[in-house]
Amino acid sequence: ETDTMDTFVDSSWYFYRFADAHNDQLPFDPQKVAYWAPVDFYSGGVEHAILHLIYSRFFARVFHDLGMVDHKEPFTHLLTQGMVLKDGAVMSKSKGNVVDPDSMIQKYGSDALRLYVMFVAPPEKEVEWTDTGLEGSFRFLARVWRIADQWREEATAANRAIIKHDELSGPERSLRRKTHDTIKRVTADIDVRQQMNTAVSAMMELVNELYAFTEKGQRSAQAAQVAREAIESLIVMLSPFAPHTTEEMWQLYGHAGGIGAARWPQFDAEVAKAEALEIPVQVNGKLRAVVKVPPSIADAELQEIALAEPNVQTHLAGKTPKKVVIVKGKLVSVVV
C-alpha cells in the first residue's frame, strides 16, 4: 500500500539505508551499518514522538534479531524539539498561518533567521513566532560585525604569543576571564546540554563585555591581544549559528581555508574562574545587601561578612538570626 510504504515503513529504517545507499543486493551491508550506527544524535519534532519513533525502535529490534545490526536501540541520544506557533496555533500550510522564510531572508538574511530560531527558546519548548525577535537577532549580528571591524586593524597586527594573564591590567583580565568563561559555557551548552538559546545568550554577554572594554579606551598592544582572542573565539563559536557572517569576519581577520577548518576555541579553567563573587544577602526573603568576596571563601567567613553589612544590621534590629542559609557562591539568606 503506497501511502504507508513510502512514509511509515521507509522512514522507520532510512538511517540504516543511508549507510549503504547504493546496495542493490541487500537492504544494507551489516558491516557498514556497524561502523555508522547507532545514530549518535537524533533530533525530530514532537509530533514524531509516537508512530515514527516507535516504529524505528521496532525495526531496530527486528534487524537485531535477524543479526543485521549489533544494537537494539537505533538512537543513542534523542532530542524532541518543540513546535513553532503563530498567533497561538501550530504553523501549518493547511491553516495558512506560516511565515514565508524567503521574505524574511530577503529582509534580514539567513543568518539572522537561523540565529533567531536557535535563540528564541530551549529546543524542546514551543515557541511563538515574532518578527520583533528576528529584528533583534539582526541587530545583534550587526553589533558583532561593528566590534570586530573596530578592532580588526589592531587585532590582526597583534602579537600571537601566549598571553601572560598575570601581567594584564584589570580590564584586560576581566575581558579575558569573560572570554574563557564564555567558551566554557557555549561548549557545554552545545555539546552536552543542547541548549542553543543559552549558548547565544552567553555570546551576547561577551559582546557586551567587548563594547565596555572598548569604551574604556583600552588600546595597548596587550589590549589588542586580549581583544583578538575574544573576537576570534566569538567568531568561531558563532559560526554554527551564523555561518555566512562569521565566514566573512574570519577572512577579514586574515584566516585562509574557511572557518569550517578552524579549531574550536579551548578554555583555561583557571582563567575562567571569577576573581570575585557578588553574593546577594537576604533578610527574611528580601534583598538587603550584596557582598563581594573571593570564590574560595569559607561559609563561616562569608556569614560573618554578610551579617556585618550595615543594611543587614539595620534589618536585624539587634535580634539574633534564627537561621542563616548559605547557597555556595550564590546566596546568603538570613531568617530573623
Side-chain angles (χ1 to χ4, degrees), residues 231-269:
I231 292 168
E232 290 190 345
S233 298
L234 173 65
I235 291 171
V236 176
M237 289 187 289
L238 190 57
S239 62
F241 304 87
H244 305 293
T245 307
T246 52
E247 185 71 64
E248 292 286 339
M249 288 191 288
W250 197 240
Q251 290 183 28
L252 285 174
Y253 269 65
H255 296 281
I259 198 166
R263 281 191 61 202
W264 188 261
Q266 303 296 306
F267 69 90
D268 184 322

Side-chain angles (χ1 to χ4, degrees), residues 83-86 88-100 127-130:
M83 306 294 287
V84 181
L85 309 180
K86 185 74 163 63
V90 174
M91 277 194 190
S92 169
K93 289 181 180 178
S94 61
K95 294 179 182 177
N97 65 340
V98 296
V99 174
D100 179 13
V127 54
E128 178 72 30
W129 178 271
T130 67

Side-chain angles (χ1 to χ4, degrees), residues 1-14 52 55 59:
E1 193 273 304
T2 56
D3 284 348
T4 303
M5 288 299 294
D6 72 350
T7 54
F8 290 113
V9 173
D10 290 346
S11 70
S12 298
W13 66 283
Y14 71 90
H52 163 59
Y55 298 159
F59 268 67

Side-chain angles (χ1 to χ4, degrees), residues 75-92:
F75 318 124
T76 301
H77 186 86
L78 172 68
L79 171 64
T80 301
Q81 64 196 41
M83 306 294 287
V84 181
L85 309 180
K86 185 74 163 63
D87 300 325
V90 174
M91 277 194 190
S92 169

Side-chain angles (χ1 to χ4, degrees), residues 28-230:
F28 51 81
D29 182 338
Q31 289 187 338
K32 290 184 177 179
V33 166
Y35 175 81
W36 288 106
V39 175
D40 296 308
F41 180 84
Y42 189 103
S43 178
V46 67
E47 75 274 18
H48 290 182
I50 58 170
L51 300 181
H52 163 59
L53 291 177
I54 291 176
Y55 298 159
S56 296
R57 298 182 70 198
F58 173 76
F59 268 67
R61 296 297 177 101
V62 171
F63 283 135
H64 178 268
D65 291 348
L66 293 173
M68 297 177 69
V69 302
D70 60 1
H71 52 270
K72 292 184 176 181
E73 293 291 345
F75 318 124
T76 301
H77 186 86
L78 172 68
L79 171 64
T80 301
Q81 64 196 41
M83 306 294 287
V84 181
L85 309 180
K86 185 74 163 63
D87 300 325
V90 174
M91 277 194 190
S92 169
K93 289 181 180 178
S94 61
K95 294 179 182 177
N97 65 340
V98 296
V99 174
D100 179 13
D102 289 340
S103 62
M104 296 292 102
I105 290 170
Q106 187 175 11
K107 185 174 182 180
Y108 298 107
S110 60
D111 279 355
L113 179 59
R114 184 184 292 105
L115 184 68
Y116 170 60
V117 171
M118 294 293 100
F119 174 62
V120 68
E124 70 275 10
K125 301 294 185 182
E126 289 184 342
V127 54
E128 178 72 30
W129 178 271
T130 67
D131 291 350
T132 305
L134 180 54
E135 290 172 7
S137 294
F138 177 78
R139 288 195 299 270
F140 169 66
L141 289 177
R143 291 192 80 217
V144 175
W145 185 280
R146 285 195 299 271
I147 197 67
D149 188 52
Q150 283 182 44
W151 278 99
R152 182 175 62 86
E153 188 173 335
E154 290 155 288
T156 52
N159 189 339
R160 289 185 174 270
I162 295 173
I163 299 172
K164 296 180 179 179
H165 190 73
D166 294 340
E167 297 179 5
L168 300 177
S169 68
E172 290 163 357
R173 282 201 310 276
S174 179
L175 175 58
R176 191 157 191 257
R177 189 206 68 77
K178 188 65 174 179
T179 299
H180 284 253
D181 179 59
T182 304
I183 296 169
K184 178 182 177 181
R185 291 168 60 189
V186 172
T187 302
D189 284 345
I190 294 175
D191 288 348
V192 181
R193 300 175 62 240
Q194 284 88 49
Q195 296 292 305
M196 309 306 164
N197 60 313
T198 54
V200 176
S201 179
M203 287 185 277
M204 288 178 171
E205 290 179 20
L206 178 57
V207 171
N208 290 339
E209 190 86 8
L210 269 163
Y211 271 92
F213 179 76
T214 304
E215 288 167 4
K216 291 173 183 175
Q218 305 294 316
R219 291 295 183 184
S220 67
Q222 282 189 155
Q225 275 187 292
V226 173
R228 176 191 56 77
E229 181 185 42

